[in-house]
Amino acid sequence: MSALELRTLGSTGLRVTPVCLGCGVLGGMSAIFGYDVSADQGVATVRRALDSPVNFLDTSAGYSDGESERRVGAAIRAQGGLPDGFVLATKVDPDPVTRDYSGAQVLRSAEQSIERLGMDSFPLLYLHDPEVIGFEAAMAPGGAVEALVRLKKEGVAEHLGVAGGPVDMLERFVGTGVFEVVLTHNRYTLVDQSARGLLRTAHQAGVAVVNAAPFGGGMLAKGPDVSRKYAYREADAALMERVRRMAERCATYDVPLGAAALQFSVREPLIASTVVGISAPERVDQTVRWATWPIPDELWAELGELAGVSADPTDPTGPTDQHDPHRRGR
């Protein structure tokens, strides 16, 4: 199987590349990522993505109050439409001002996404960050999930997913039988495999897993001497030292740390596709190079020891708790 050969996205039947290009930063989220992206650069980046070997793009109504979707929509129009077989996923979000996440808000969010993206329907529509209101409120009669199901029945969404942070909550949503895809972020990387249980639960339920942020917000792409944050928070000394040692081992084999971090997720059999954020046309090209970079088994063995997992992605051995930075302060 080649590095970017299409995979079936669980029970959806959608065929996607094992790498998905994420548009979270394209609308300009400098408060989170530390830099801005102009409208022209955002549109040019999406156009490069549409011309790339990757056929899977991820955005959201909540990214920069819809600006990411506006730029994606502008790029699609400039290209004359989506390429055949291209899968565009977006997400419904709470109201950016009131934080309302009712069923009515879900319907409004989807309607606004249709307008911004210029699409009649979505191959995949996620419920985004349900931790804002909690599982019970999301599942309540007349709530967000019921509205999402309505959108599917009406043909606005072909398939439904749930995307969020806390893995225990995501497991509960997987157990409802409503969702065909679950997206987790920052919790299956070279330094944190706390989503391992979610991966297994989803697999048993026939739900596809999409793994976002394999670089932990940048450190696992740029190295700890350039990016000192992991999952958008200051990293502690122990985590930074682990990443530094990983970078040193990668350099010994002439492998970019980012390539190893990306492929650590891509080669995991329980993950259907991995979302990599893009902010410039050259980042699209770099992502494709990293996804296809030759990495020897000897390096995987060494990285496996540093990651606290087996070098064999089919090994059921789970991570050790001390390697889960999300446990701190939560």
Side-chain angles (χ1 to χ4, degrees):
M1 177 178 289
S2 66
L4 293 177
E5 186 173 334
L6 296 181
R7 302 174 178 178
T8 301
L9 190 64
S11 63
T12 68
L14 297 172
R15 299 279 288 167
V16 298
T17 45
V19 173
C20 174
L21 299 174
C23 300
V25 72
L26 282 188
M29 298 175 71
S30 56
I32 295 177
F33 296 101
Y35 61 94
D36 204 355
V37 176
S38 70
D40 288 346
Q41 180 173 317
V43 173
T45 301
V46 177
R47 295 194 68 179
R48 182 71 62 85
L50 296 176
D51 284 333
S52 79
V54 177
N55 83 329
F56 195 9
L57 196 69
D58 176 273
T59 185
S60 175
Y63 293 155
S64 301
D65 193 19
E67 186 60 25
S68 173
E69 287 187 331
R70 292 185 191 95
R71 296 177 183 183
V72 172
I76 292 172
R77 289 190 293 274
Q79 291 287 101
L82 284 174
D84 290 341
F86 201 95
V87 177
L88 173 61
T90 194
K91 311 176 187 77
V92 294
D93 277 274
D95 184 280
V97 177
T98 66
R99 306 309 291 165
D100 170 34
Y101 212 170
S102 62
Q105 166 58 23
V106 166
L107 299 179
R108 285 192 296 270
S109 182
E111 182 178 2
Q112 291 163 356
S113 292
I114 286 173
E115 180 178 348
R116 287 189 288 258
L117 291 166
M119 300 179 65
D120 297 326
S121 64
F122 307 108
L124 176 59
L125 184 63
Y126 291 100
L127 179 72
H128 195 198
D129 291 343
E131 56 265 36
V132 170
I133 53 174
F135 179 82
E136 286 77 13
M139 293 298 299
V145 173
E146 185 176 290
L148 205 64
V149 171
R150 172 181 165 182
L151 290 170
K152 182 178 181 181
K153 290 180 179 178
E154 293 177 350
V156 175
E158 295 177 35
H159 304 284
L160 302 180
V162 58
V167 293
D168 54 348
M169 180 179 291
L170 291 178
E171 287 189 36
R172 295 183 71 185
F173 281 109
V174 166
T176 65
V178 171
F179 301 98
E180 298 164 272
V181 182
V182 59
L183 185 153
T184 178
H185 62 83
N186 287 297
R187 289 163 174 84
Y188 195 86
T189 72
L190 277 170
V191 295
D192 175 9
Q193 299 89 46
S194 53
R196 169 65 70 175
L198 172 63
L199 269 57
R200 294 171 180 155
T201 298
H203 177 69
Q204 292 167 358
V207 174
V209 175
V210 173
N211 184 42
F215 306 137
M219 181 182 288
L220 290 168
K222 303 173 184 177
D225 296 324
V226 176
S227 178
R228 302 177 65 86
K229 289 185 177 182
Y230 180 84
Y232 321 119
R233 294 179 291 176
E234 290 294 328
D236 61 32
L239 189 149
M240 291 178 65
E241 179 58 25
R242 288 177 64 212
V243 177
R244 188 171 289 110
R245 291 172 64 193
M246 290 176 177
E248 291 171 353
R249 299 318 305 152
C250 286
T252 299
Y253 291 89
D254 194 27
V255 172
L257 175 62
L262 173 55
Q263 291 189 39
F264 179 77
S265 175
V266 168
R267 71 199 298 264
E268 165 56 57
L270 300 182
I271 292 173
S273 192
T274 299
V275 183
V276 177
I278 51 171
S279 56
E282 56 267 27
R283 285 282 289 123
V284 177
D285 303 335
Q286 180 189 64
T287 299
V288 172
R289 287 197 304 272
W290 282 357
T292 57
W293 198 287
I295 300 180
D297 291 340
E298 293 81 3
L299 176 56
W300 284 125
E302 295 177 28
L303 291 176
E305 292 181 5
L306 292 170
V309 296
S310 168
D312 180 358
T314 64
D315 190 320
T317 303
T320 54
D321 287 349
Q322 65 264 32
H323 292 162
D324 178 3
H326 296 280
R327 293 183 184 275
R328 297 194 305 272
R330 291 194 177 187

